[in-house]
Amino acid sequence: MKPKHCIFILCLLISGFSFAQKGGKYKLWYDKPAKQWVEALPIGNGRLAAMVFGDPLKEKLQLNESTFWSGGPSRNDNPDGPKVLDSIRYYLFNGNYRRAQVLADKGLTAKTLHGSAFQNIGDLILDFKNNGDFKNYYRELDIEKAITTTTFSANGNNFKREVFASIPDNVIVIKLSSDKKNALSFSAQFNSELKKNSKAIDTNTLQMDGLSSTLDGVQGQVKFSAIAKILNKDGKTEVSENSIAVSNASEVTILISIATNFTDYKTLSTDEVLKSKKYISEAEPKSFSTLLKNHLAAYQKYFKRVYFDLGTSNAAANPTDIRIKNFATSYDLELISLYYQFGRYLLISSSQPGGQPANLQGIWNNSNKPAWDSKYTININTEMNYWPAEKTGLPEMHEPLIQMVKDLSESGKETAKTMYNSRGWVAHHNSDIWRIPGVVDFANAGMWPVGGAWLSQHLWDKYLYSGDLNYLRSVYPVLKSAAQFYEDFLIEEPTHHWLVVSPSMSPENIPQGHQGSALAAGNTMDNQLIFDLFTKTRKAAQLLHMDDDKIPVWNTIISKLPPMQIGRYGQLQEWMGDWDDPKDNHRHVSHLYGLFPSNQINPFTTPELTDAARTVLIHRGDVSTGWSMGWKVNLWAKLLDGNHANKL
């Protein structure tokens, strides 16, 4: 090594400043700032989250906190259910589907409350007034370290920004640095679209307190308190209205804390200001290096359990957006392994033990009226979030969902009794942080009383990966109660005398020529879910040596469930009737639940049903919404067609 190179490296070590190494096995990287929200880089610790834009002139961190939702503790049961249930079943069995739907909309669908919306806390804006033109721009998300880094040059200075969300220290940490002294000057302020009070408490502390929005007549009751603590080694700070100006600093660390008054799904009694200040006061004495060390130890404990390598690729020299654009023709196998690990990164970042489960957008949301309220859509999306949990070595990340199922098993008991005069617990196609179990939106989407049956599969699947009988014993009452609901709710259909779920629908599809109604009885997905629920609950009882008297009851029910049927086009029927349309390209492929994530259909034991499932996928086509294509990737893989899975 030549002497001048040694001197250069020594200078880097002394200054503590260095640019991030461009690209790498675990890095998403880009050569320009994010222009829109979906281009920003996500960080999170399961409770706090930010989208980091990386703008050299005006940095923005869009902020979320997992318990910040609209409304407050609430229920959405329709007490008219017992008045209309028998009539709805009569009309379904006699082919008057439209009349059944009208009655369901009036007597079963929630009267007003259709769930709360996950909310956007707001933004922390860092306005760098003197950066001028910038060059050598680079930003990355290192998913091995869960850190975003932005570097660029401006006015003869090299600047670096590092951001991470710490699991152990419960704060978001920002470090701003320059390779030259006194080169950092900026103003910092909070902003939010919600009702809020934003102010500078002192020359180093910003605080924004606010209130969630009102939705479906439920007054916003969730309060938040966000605090930003600015810690500069040199330079000076001064207050300007509701912002803080930093001038001529060489290095600045900013700590962001957010807390709400959420205690649990029934209670809002926490002091959000004291809680937020507590996180700041505990993190403030720690150096950046200590905070970073704590963060890496906690995060990498999870991330480094799995090593997945499909080889290297020359395409990795390109920014990630270009790699994605070129993927179909580049044979970029390294991108596949990055994609796999990115999924693990997102689950670690949005779902931590003791917190809330990942919602429809994980934990990242820039709207107070997000698509589908960013709720828990439990007819596919919530479950899909957690398919990787046990399979990719992240069982702790599964715990928030398991707790939500336990919560719903309590709130859903009242719904089962109020709406259906049934024992046990029930949930439909949607829920929120308040654990509402009733029918959301309208009958053609929400009249699906098997959400609890699907969620219950996760309780059993988690046991399969651990073999922990103490855990199984803790969730067995939830499984048994879910089965108990269907013991009461299943009804004999008149043609074959099978036991069926009625009313229900096959999410969220309307059969052709079905009078514009999705409502039906004995839908294939329902039958598959009920079969799994009873067989798994039965096995759990046998393992725990409990409820021997229930085994014959459950055996009888299992024997009377409708079988899976192959229709006139060689397809696996979606409904009890042969109503499928080969031109139907609906995004849901609900009746293929039996293929994946269940194992009732597989190429080795049920070859005819496997061929019928393949026919369904061919009819539906490849192109669909993102989550639907994600499901289809798994389905084609289960069909042992790796090429088709790779194509998707």
Side-chain angles (χ1 to χ4, degrees), residues 506 521-529 562-565 572-576 590-593 600:
S506 186
N523 306 304
T524 299
M525 185 190 205
D526 295 358
N527 305 331
Q528 294 167 340
L529 284 166
M564 288 180 277
Q565 302 177 86
L572 182 70
Q573 289 181 196
E574 184 165 1
W575 297 274
M576 195 162 57
S590 302
H591 49 314
L592 299 190
Y593 162 87
Q600 297 172 40

Side-chain angles (χ1 to χ4, degrees), residues 19-31 136-140 149 151 316-320 323:
F19 280 147
Q21 183 178 353
K22 189 175 182 181
K25 180 179 178 62
Y26 292 114
K27 293 181 179 182
L28 288 70
W29 72 273
Y30 306 86
D31 57 6
N136 303 322
Y137 181 87
Y138 173 82
R139 69 183 172 108
E140 70 174 25
T149 302
T151 58
N318 294 318
T320 304
R323 292 176 72 183

Side-chain angles (χ1 to χ4, degrees), residues 395-471:
E396 296 92 340
M397 277 71 266
H398 213 170
E399 291 175 17
L401 181 67
I402 301 302
Q403 183 57 50
M404 186 177 85
V405 180
K406 292 178 179 178
D407 293 344
L408 279 168
S409 74
E410 293 300 321
S411 63
K413 286 179 182 176
E414 186 173 338
T415 304
K417 182 178 180 181
T418 299
M419 293 183 59
Y420 302 116
N421 281 331
S422 295
R423 300 168 299 159
W425 71 278
V426 65
H428 294 79
H429 99 297
N430 232 299
S431 191
D432 60 16
I433 196 170
W434 317 117
R435 308 305 189 239
I436 58 167
V439 179
V440 167
D441 295 333
F442 45 88
N444 271 355
M447 190 53 251
W448 188 70
V450 284
W454 196 347
L455 287 174
S456 294
Q457 315 298 330
H458 284 259
L459 306 181
W460 172 256
D461 290 349
K462 187 168 181 61
Y463 162 73
L464 288 182
Y465 278 87
S466 70
D468 185 345
L469 287 174
N470 288 327
Y471 159 77

Side-chain angles (χ1 to χ4, degrees), residues 47 105 171 197 204 238 247 285 356 427 432 447 476 539 580:
R47 189 181 67 83
D105 274 324
V171 290
N197 177 31
N204 290 90
E238 59 181 348
S247 57
Q356 296 300 311
D432 60 16
M447 190 53 251
Y476 175 72
K539 184 63 175 178
D580 297 85

